[in-house]
Amino acid sequence: MFVGHFAVAYILWRLFPQVPLPVILISVSFPDLLWSFLVPAGVERVRIDPDSPLQKFIVFEKFPYSHSLVLGTFLSIILGSFLGLAMNNILVIPVFALGSASHWLLDTIVHLRDLPVLGFDGDTKVGLGLWKRGVLAFLVEIVFYVCVSAIALSGFSLLYALLLGGVFHGINANSFLGKGKKNSVKSSNSYAGLALIGFGAFTALATFLI
Ligand SMILES: [Zn+2]
């Protein structure tokens, strides 16, 4: 999931306007940002299918630090505490943890059963697997994004949010609909790099426009 995470950021910003939007955008991206560093570091593992770009064929072999509810949220509290102290804003800590946990919760809708709950070996793994139905997953994510954005934002902020979401979801379309015979992403490291660029670019543009 990509744009769907940012819709939750808008809602959190609406609820807690004392926390700057970029901090909230980073909080909902935190699991994937962390993951994009831990994959090339060899700490977490993902296997892509060279023959298909579809999300459902990506095997997330191991990502206990970035994508578990308990350990991941704990790590987000640590980073949130640094940010909260640096900004002299205690509210940053719970809002950052909420944003990060919301990422895990939304991921459980689309991921196959690969998301760890605790983050330790022998852990329970969850995932409802909406990615198995690519067209439906594509529609559900953009409808969710549009509806939640419309609740949270208004005026030009809403307009820019919808434009941003539409463009990025469109760029992502092949991973849902994947008519291509081959996967243009050649390695797990480039897949992690793309995630970093995607989340980074969206956060920068949303900060600038919204
Ligand atoms: Zn994720």
Side-chain angles (χ1 to χ4, degrees), residues 34 53 110 173 181:
L34 181 61
V110 291
K181 306 286 170 283

Side-chain angles (χ1 to χ4, degrees), residues 50-54 174-175 177-184:
D51 294 323
S52 170
L54 287 172
N174 208 35
S175 67
L177 314 172
K179 302 282 184 269
K181 306 286 170 283
K182 289 281 175 198
N183 192 348
S184 58

Side-chain angles (χ1 to χ4, degrees), residues 32 67 103 107:
D32 277 7
H67 278 76
H103 181 113
D107 269 5

Side-chain angles (χ1 to χ4, degrees), residues 14-15 21 39 64 81 87 99 107 119 124 130 141 143 154 171 177:
R14 174 85 192 259
L15 292 171
L21 180 61
V39 167
S81 300
M87 297 165 66
D107 269 5
T124 307
L130 188 59
E141 185 168 346
V143 168
S154 59
I171 292 171
L177 314 172

Side-chain angles (χ1 to χ4, degrees), residues 148-204:
V148 175
S149 299
I151 293 168
L153 304 170
S154 59
F156 276 107
S157 294
L158 175 59
L159 180 67
Y160 285 131
L162 295 180
L163 277 172
L164 258 184
V167 168
F168 275 78
H169 199 55
I171 292 171
N172 220 0
N174 208 35
S175 67
F176 292 92
L177 314 172
K179 302 282 184 269
K181 306 286 170 283
K182 289 281 175 198
N183 192 348
S184 58
V185 182
K186 298 295 177 211
S187 71
S188 52
N189 282 356
S190 39
Y191 184 50
L194 274 179
L196 181 61
I197 292 168
F199 276 92
F202 194 107
T203 296

Side-chain angles (χ1 to χ4, degrees), residues 1 5 31-32 35 63 66-67 103-104 107 111 115 131 199:
M1 178 164 296
H5 294 303
D32 277 7
W35 177 83
F63 51 174
S66 66
H67 278 76
H103 181 113
W104 184 86
D107 269 5
H111 270 248
L115 287 161
W131 275 338
F199 276 92

